[in-house]
Amino acid sequence: MSDDADVIVVGAGLAGLVATYELTRAGRRVLVVDQESEANLGGQAFWSLGGLFLVDSPEQRRAGIKDSPELALSDWLDSAGFDRDREDHWPRQWAQAYVDFAAGEKRRYLYDLGLRLTPTVGWAERGAGLATGHGNSVPRFHLTWGTGPEVVRVFAEPVRAAAERGLVVFRHRHRVDELIVEDGAAVGVRGTTLAPSDLPRGVASAREAAGEFAFRAQAVVVTSGGIGGNQELVRENWPVDRLGPAPQTMITGVPAYVDGRMLQITERAGGSLVNRDRMWHYTEGIKNWDPIWPDHAIRIIPGPSSLWLDATGRRLPVPLFPGHDTLATLRHIVHTGHDHTWFLLTRSIVEKEFALSGSEQNPDITGKDLKLALARVKKGAPGPVQAFLDRGEDFVVRRTLRELVAGMNALEPSTPLDYATVEREVVARDRAVAHPYSKDLQLMAVRNAREYWPDKLTRVAKPHRLLDPAHGPLIAVRLHLLTRKTLGGLETTLDSQVVQPDGTPFDGLYAAGEVAGFGGGGVHGYNALEGTFLGGCIFSGRAAGRALARSLA
């Protein structure tokens, strides 16, 4: 195949692979251009934990979870909080369509490609404390057996097979700088050929120019990701009125190539960019002791038991407990005037409750090693967690609370903690845990979580006193804010066709994945329910590929 193609796909991440897969199933010729090397095929999805949002699945039913499309849509809409007549027009429709997909053919679609799931369902984003508020009413986080690399593989393999048949050409190290628009239609891309790179996956590559290119096709699909790797753009779009001033320091949860360039390029070409102030950043970040990209952040996916203290040693307010309401917690932390917080916990809690986000931090599930995965229920911290306990700069391990606070102050001397303040919070919490019921809502949440048997078995420690030596030593973890997802993006129809500012479709131009707010320019609204980012790439990429397969000459 030459560089002549029916469709140009800009971005070789998950959404781009899905769109290409669907196009090649219909016999269409696809040119995939990406600014990174072949080693980065699959993009950010490769690094993910591989969680998928499913509704009323066999895995849920086996765990005794009663879910329904109606409950899931209610949770979605309560969390999204759509309130913009113009900018939320398409996102509202995408939300309904995505929940229908998650409750319908999504599992079969992926299963037929060879994707499998672990048997337990996680309960992410447990909510803001009200039945009508943000959060998942029931567990819906389905972990892929093989994590992100497996999600990438099931689409990359058929796309590579199509390349062998002459239907796909990859042009790596080709950075798009402009969309070619003629007579109001997208007909190609123009850009810079970058010098070859042999760096490993995820490592920031050079931007040395080695030439120029221009490619033409009947249509262009933009699948280039969001802005999480570009802190300048994150700060530029930060919603000060809603979250407060942008933090002075953040660490970065995605590779450097997640730079947001194509959002601006597509807007300049005439595409509508909406909800740019909506974003999703985490509060439980730790610095990677073995970094791959600049300021490499790892997110702790916590169980509900850790005592969460602000930078001054005071407990975060209700209902800002671990694993409950990400953006409300972010908003509170930003308004404290500090960019860090602390988890305070025991060895028993860290062994049972700490999981680390990312495929490389979960070698047992990523490698589909059943024996190693079953070892998680045994005593002792998982290997990657133990590595952070041993080497992570954000971890303090001590025998007594006084020694722990001294270690925390040595780690973060800019904001020294008052021992009496920390002791008061710990003693009050320990006093409450001695009773089967209490006024402590976090302990109520822990007991509620343990009513769900998969959590009781694998995820939530039995309530105990933090100062009980039998569960020691004590552990403190300094937590940073970390960048991650763009919730707004290019406005698209349900066919993933880009919309112009006047609301009319942009001929020949489509967008999918994070660059399109995972559908419509912001299918999540203000809040995500987790397990919905990979699924949004799959659903919107599928929509683009199928629509073009139907409509092209």
Side-chain angles (χ1 to χ4, degrees), residues 396-413:
V396 181
V397 182
R398 299 290 190 273
R399 286 291 171 186
T400 69
L401 184 61
R402 189 171 291 278
E403 291 172 330
L404 188 74
V405 173
M408 295 161 75
N409 285 337
L411 180 61
E412 190 61 63

Side-chain angles (χ1 to χ4, degrees), residues 139-155:
R140 296 191 178 105
F141 189 88
H142 295 68
L143 184 59
T144 301
W145 185 235
T147 70
E150 182 71 358
V151 178
V152 170
R153 182 194 67 80
V154 301
F155 290 102

Side-chain angles (χ1 to χ4, degrees), residues 138 178 186 209 212 224 281 287 332 339 359 399 445 529 546:
V138 297
E178 179 186 0
E212 297 178 344
S224 53
H281 306 303
K287 296 179 181 178
H332 173 78
D339 297 340
S359 55
R399 286 291 171 186
L529 290 175
R546 291 188 173 188

Side-chain angles (χ1 to χ4, degrees), residues 305-306 345-354 461 464 466:
S305 301
S306 296
L345 60 152
T346 64
R347 180 78 189 191
S348 294
I349 293 173
V350 81
E351 289 179 356
K352 190 74 172 274
E353 296 195 5
F354 264 34
H464 59 271
L466 297 177

